[in-house]
Amino acid sequence: MILPAAASFWTSTIILLYLHSGDCAEIIGGKEVKPHSLPYMALLENKQGRKVCGGILIHQQWVLTAAHCTNITKVFLGVHSIKQEEKETRQVRKVKGSIPHPCYDHNIRVNDIMLLKLDKKVKPTKEVKALALPVPVADVPAGTQCSVSGWGATQNNAKTMSDVLLSTNVTVIDRRTCNSADYYNMTPIITYSMLCAGSVDKTRVDSCQGDSGGPLVCGSELRGVVSFGKQCGIKNKPGVYTLMSTKYLDWINKTMRKSLID
């Protein structure tokens, strides 16, 4: 249910709390990272052979990404430059199984999170290393400085991704602001299972097309997964991330344990 902009604050709050309790995107303004300094970064390829999303290696045989990154068949790890062969650092794995969150809803963008099981474990190296799942927190406060990384486009309507891995700093924005008429106008509703993060001054920083599924890292901890946005680098349309809440962390751990048993 999407409420009009004129809806009262209390009605909006009730809707947000309801979704919080029961609900079942390129780097703008970024800089090239030191090659292989983010060894958990994964580059995802679909069945058409196109590099389309990012991901996070969280276990030797598991990659975390966004549920809207569909038809992923191959995962590249130890990548800095897409165009270079990087034979000494790269590890390529086929996707054995894709497991989106069971309550993912494309229309209202909730639960946009997915696990990819690789056909075989990666070999831990300096360039390929899993990022530990975080200790869960109730929320990430507005004003928190975080970083987002990916090979996505570097400007709106760009037809190609960045060749090299980029990263930029973004600031978490209060949900009430993000849901306001000047921002997303509750279309879709930014729930307590999501985070808004982007520019708070004159700089233009954001995630963009091709960055979906990549990590939002705050204080060295994985706190979000790139989900969606309205174009890229627009101050009042910041990037939206799936918050790594207790609910999602429990689902991730349960899913990986069950799959290993099966």
Side-chain angles (χ1 to χ4, degrees):
M1 176 179 180
I2 305 299
L3 298 181
S8 71
F9 165 71
W10 288 112
T11 305
S12 302
T13 302
I14 290 170
I15 292 296
L16 285 170
L17 289 172
Y18 172 75
L19 285 174
H20 174 50
S21 60
D23 57 11
C24 181
E26 106 218 311
I27 298 296
I28 301 293
K31 296 182 179 180
E32 181 178 354
V33 305
K34 179 182 178 181
H36 312 296
S37 59
L38 304 176
Y40 50 82
M41 288 296 300
L43 180 61
L44 311 186
E45 182 179 284
N46 66 14
K47 63 181 180 181
Q48 287 79 33
R50 293 178 56 237
K51 311 294 190 295
V52 292
C53 284
I56 310 123
L57 183 70
I58 59 170
H59 177 278
Q60 283 181 264
Q61 203 169 359
W62 292 92
V63 168
L64 182 66
T65 188
H68 74 265
C69 294
T70 57
N71 300 314
I72 302 300
T73 59
K74 195 175 292 186
V75 174
F76 294 78
L77 299 140
V79 177
H80 179 68
S81 167
I82 295 176
K83 294 177 182 178
Q84 295 180 12
E85 292 187 5
E86 300 177 328
K87 291 182 179 180
E88 294 182 358
T89 63
R90 284 196 187 188
Q91 296 185 46
V92 183
R93 297 291 185 270
K94 293 180 180 179
V95 175
K96 183 177 181 179
S98 301
I99 310 172
H101 192 279
C103 296
Y104 168 58
D105 189 316
H106 173 75
N107 295 317
I108 56 175
R109 312 291 184 94
V110 295
N111 305 304
D112 188 11
I113 196 166
M114 177 169 66
L115 284 166
L116 302 176
K117 186 175 184 181
L118 308 181
D119 62 338
K120 59 180 181 179
K121 293 181 178 181
V122 300
K123 178 183 178 181
T125 64
K126 181 181 177 181
E127 297 82 12
V128 178
K129 188 181 303 182
L131 178 64
L133 290 173
V135 174
V137 293
D139 201 2
V140 180
T144 301
Q145 295 288 310
C146 306
S147 65
V148 59
S149 309
W151 291 269
T154 55
Q155 60 185 8
N156 277 309
N157 303 316
K159 295 182 179 180
T160 58
M161 296 171 67
S162 168
D163 172 52
V164 296
L165 181 60
L166 303 176
S167 182
T168 193
N169 294 325
V170 292
T171 303
V172 175
I173 297 169
D174 182 78
R175 288 184 189 83
R176 190 184 303 181
T177 299
C178 214
N179 276 306
S180 69
D182 291 336
Y183 279 68
Y184 278 100
N185 197 27
M186 301 188 77
T187 309
I189 297 172
I190 309 304
T191 76
Y192 283 115
S193 292
M194 303 173 184
L195 287 173
C196 276
S199 305
V200 294
D201 52 28
K202 294 182 179 180
T203 59
R204 292 177 67 247
V205 292
D206 200 1
S207 51
C208 201
Q209 291 88 4
D211 289 323
S212 292
L216 180 74
V217 175
C218 312
S220 301
E221 296 275 12
L222 177 63
R223 294 300 178 201
V225 175
V226 180
S227 181
F228 69 92
K230 178 76 171 180
Q231 297 184 323
C232 309
I234 300 174
K235 184 176 180 180
N236 64 347
K237 295 292 186 292
V240 181
Y241 302 78
T242 301
L243 172 65
M244 293 297 292
S245 63
T246 299
K247 176 181 74 170
Y248 293 129
L249 290 167
D250 287 347
W251 173 75
I252 289 167
N253 285 313
K254 181 180 178 180
T255 301
M256 291 195 299
R257 284 197 303 269
K258 183 177 184 301
S259 180
L260 290 173
I261 292 172
D262 293 344

